[in-house]
Amino acid sequence: MNREQAKTVILVLLVCSSVFFTYNLWTFKPNYDFIQNSQYLENEPISQEKKEPANVIRPYQMFVHQNAEHYGTFKAEHIDFVWNQLRNWNISEVKNVSNRYTSDQLDEWLNGKSETKKIEFIFSDKIPFEIFQSILQYKSQKTIYSSFDRIVLPQGKANQPQKIIFVSVEQRLVYEASISSENAKNFIASIIEKKENLDPYVSIDLPEDKNLLLPEGKIELDQRKYIIESINGEDFKQALFTNPSYVRREMKPTQNVYTDGTSLLTVYPSQERLRFVNPTIDPSMFIERGKAMKQSIEFLNDHGGWTDEYQFYNMDPDSQLVSFRLMVDFIPVFENNTNTFGPTEISMRWGNNEIATYLRPLYGLDTGFVRNAVKMPDSTEILTLLEQKKSIEKENVKRVFPAYEMSATAEPRIVELKPYWYAETASGQFIKLQTGNETLGGKTDGLE
């Protein structure tokens, strides 16, 4: 091979190599999936527990009314026995029957002053019907865009299907449907027949035609103590930020601040609480109640936020703050404002599909033990307490219910839970009746 032939061969090889590398460059597809998804691999949920709406939305009280007699309970075993049966019954399409009742007739019927025999479930706040659709066996495609705070099961009549009634006390709405399950009518009749297993209640008339049902005698609740298990703020950094490796931390005397340049996580170790905000999200945007509740449950599922037994408790219509309250034996827990250990509720505020504000405790209840049983004040004593509470006008009392107040103790990492009667006012405030003048929850959202 002479020199010119060698040059030709080398030139051909160089051209072929150039074509090969150019083709590979044009057709190369980098593994963007790995780049995009690698950030999510770093997220570590606080816990693996996930919940459905049926796990965190349930009635807090049940009544049986018969011939102007009233029997009620807050006990989970009684409520769940009936509620879980109801959840398995097939329910037909609902229809609006509000025009059957004047406002006075509805109050009389709800307060058990009529002769109708019925079971009544009461919820702590209005529940959108679309949420009930996901909890109950409602097969119809028709939905309604209303919320209800009571469900009533009147005793069935012969040769007629068993009825179920959804009521909004505030909006004076009444919707009715039929239950097709064969055993429903007999089951409801048996619960009404065994009403003496519940606590007897008395009906108390208040100003402006208002009414309260209060326990005739003294119900008992346990006074408890719990060992507390703190949750490391770093765990929430790993769980809440999209890419925790990009998060910067700033240590301050009373708080630890984490930010990725957009969201801000502030941990208050001595107060056992945290605050997570995204300032770029507008929380003033209106969000439908059912959507906010569903998104809140999914948000807690996504980062493992169910660190204790929390139940949906209320949604403030003004601030649109969705709250899940700590429960012990399905009795709500409030914090002691003067001897506080930490908050007792999880709160979220949304800007359409994005979380804007997230407030929560930084601890979990661990080992618990009962100190002693406490006899709660009866109806007469409760009325006296209401009259002594100058900050409450009786006509503004929405309901009276038992709750635990959680306080710090002299023993590190141990809290005490004492039962008290609380009143909820029409403005959404929760006020302890026995002692002090504490106002809890309501319109305040803890934002600084």
Side-chain angles (χ1 to χ4, degrees):
M1 180 183 296
N2 58 35
R3 182 177 211 137
E4 291 302 321
Q5 288 175 324
K7 287 181 178 180
T8 300
V9 171
I10 293 171
L11 182 61
V12 169
L13 290 174
L14 289 172
V15 170
C16 291
S17 298
S18 176
V19 170
F20 173 78
F21 285 117
T22 301
Y23 173 80
N24 277 276
L25 183 62
W26 286 347
T27 59
F28 174 67
K29 293 183 179 180
N31 188 357
Y32 288 118
D33 287 342
F34 174 77
I35 296 173
Q36 291 170 353
N37 293 332
S38 63
Q39 59 184 327
Y40 299 108
L41 298 177
E42 298 188 47
N43 290 116
E44 298 177 12
I46 304 298
S47 75
Q48 299 302 317
E49 186 167 6
K50 296 184 183 295
K51 299 199 174 186
E52 300 293 331
N55 303 131
V56 295
I57 298 170
R58 64 186 291 280
Y60 80 91
Q61 189 175 24
M62 182 180 78
F63 282 109
V64 172
H65 305 287
Q66 178 177 348
N67 299 329
E69 295 180 353
H70 318 281
Y71 299 84
T73 185
F74 294 98
K75 293 181 179 178
E77 61 266 30
H78 293 313
I79 296 173
D80 289 344
F81 178 66
V82 185
W83 179 245
N84 291 335
Q85 284 290 326
L86 168 58
R87 288 187 53 221
N88 291 321
W89 295 336
N90 294 321
I91 299 172
S92 68
E93 187 175 293
V94 293
K95 58 181 179 180
N96 191 342
V97 295
S98 305
N99 58 5
R100 291 182 187 173
Y101 305 88
T102 65
S103 183
D104 290 341
Q105 287 172 337
L106 180 59
D107 286 334
E108 184 174 308
W109 182 72
L110 282 175
N111 295 330
K113 294 182 178 180
S114 67
E115 295 183 359
T116 306
K117 300 177 182 180
K118 56 183 176 291
I119 298 170
E120 179 184 22
F121 293 107
I122 302 179
F123 296 82
S124 59
D125 199 4
K126 298 182 293 294
I127 309 297
F129 189 76
E130 64 178 285
I131 298 291
F132 282 128
Q133 282 183 268
S134 68
I135 295 174
L136 307 176
Q137 301 298 317
Y138 183 76
K139 303 303 182 184
S140 173
Q141 296 301 311
K142 177 185 176 181
T143 189
I144 53 175
Y145 300 98
S146 298
S147 298
F148 304 94
D149 53 6
R150 301 195 188 191
I151 291 179
V152 179
L153 298 170
Q155 184 164 326
K157 298 179 180 179
N159 303 319
Q160 293 185 17
Q162 174 63 51
K163 300 296 185 182
I164 178 172
I165 301 172
F166 300 85
V167 180
S168 169
V169 176
E170 181 180 324
Q171 296 179 306
R172 319 308 285 173
L173 286 177
V174 183
Y175 277 73
E176 181 184 89
S178 296
I179 296 173
S180 60
S181 303
E182 294 182 1
N183 71 327
K185 194 181 296 185
N186 290 335
F187 179 82
I188 291 170
S190 70
I191 296 299
I192 294 173
E193 182 68 25
K194 298 173 183 176
K195 59 187 180 299
E196 285 83 4
N197 292 336
L198 309 180
D199 298 310
Y201 274 63
V202 293
S203 178
I204 307 295
D205 291 325
L206 300 179
E208 299 185 8
D209 297 324
K210 300 293 180 64
N211 180 275
L212 274 181
L213 289 175
L214 300 175
E216 186 177 307
K218 296 178 179 292
I219 66 172
E220 285 192 359
L221 286 176
D222 293 327
Q223 183 172 327
R224 302 164 177 264
K225 280 190 174 182
Y226 279 91
I227 298 173
I228 291 296
E229 181 179 1
S230 290
I231 304 171
N232 193 325
E234 284 284 328
D235 294 343
F236 280 97
K237 182 197 84 171
Q238 294 295 122
L240 293 174
F241 286 99
T242 303
N243 194 332
S245 61
Y246 291 163
V247 174
R248 302 188 308 275
R249 183 178 70 173
E250 181 181 357
M251 308 291 286
K252 296 184 178 181
T254 60
Q255 62 195 50
N256 302 327
V257 181
Y258 303 82
T259 182
D260 62 355
T262 301
S263 299
L264 186 72
L265 170 65
T266 307
V267 175
Y268 304 88
S270 63
Q271 300 175 31
E272 296 289 346
R273 67 184 180 95
L274 66 78
R275 181 174 182 260
F276 181 74
V277 296
N278 185 342
T280 66
I281 303 300
D282 181 9
S284 65
M285 295 176 60
F286 173 77
I287 182 169
E288 192 270 330
R289 176 179 284 259
K291 180 179 180 180
M293 291 170 64
K294 288 179 180 178
Q295 286 184 175
S296 298
I297 294 170
E298 291 169 1
F299 176 72
L300 290 169
N301 283 340
D302 288 343
H303 72 273
W306 304 107
T307 53
D308 258 316
E309 184 58 53
Y310 287 92
Q311 294 277 303
F312 169 75
Y313 207 65
N314 66 300
M315 178 176 174
D316 189 296
D318 297 328
S319 67
Q320 300 192 94
L321 201 69
V322 181
S323 296
F324 294 81
R325 186 160 292 279
L326 177 64
M327 298 281 173
V328 171
D329 289 340
F330 291 103
I331 300 294
V333 181
F334 291 86
E335 62 184 286
N336 182 318
N337 280 351
T338 56
N339 188 25
T340 185
F341 176 82
T344 59
E345 69 177 341
I346 296 172
S347 300
M348 284 155 281
R349 183 179 292 147
W350 293 87
N352 198 12
N353 295 321
E354 298 291 332
I355 190 75
T357 308
Y358 176 42
L359 311 167
R360 65 159 298 132
L362 200 60
Y363 66 88
L365 299 181
D366 195 0
T367 306
F369 44 94
V370 176
R371 288 190 59 195
N372 57 279
V374 176
K375 288 189 175 182
M376 305 284 284
D378 59 25
S379 58
T380 303
E381 294 168 308
I382 293 171
L383 279 176
T384 301
L385 291 168
L386 282 172
E387 291 170 355
Q388 293 173 346
K389 213 69 170 174
K390 302 302 182 185
S391 60
I392 303 178
E393 295 182 359
K394 285 196 290 187
E395 62 270 21
N396 290 328
V397 175
K398 185 177 177 181
R399 62 186 175 115
V400 173
F401 61 97
Y404 284 111
E405 182 185 63
M406 188 175 78
S407 306
T409 68
E411 305 165 276
R413 317 311 303 164
I414 293 181
V415 295
E416 186 170 45
L417 273 65
K418 294 182 179 180
Y420 295 99
W421 285 109
Y422 280 72
E424 181 185 3
T425 67
S427 62
Q429 294 178 317
F430 300 101
I431 301 174
K432 187 176 71 173
L433 294 182
Q434 272 97 320
T435 57
N437 194 30
E438 298 88 351
T439 298
L440 306 174
K443 300 287 183 178
T444 47
D445 59 13
L447 303 183
E448 301 166 313

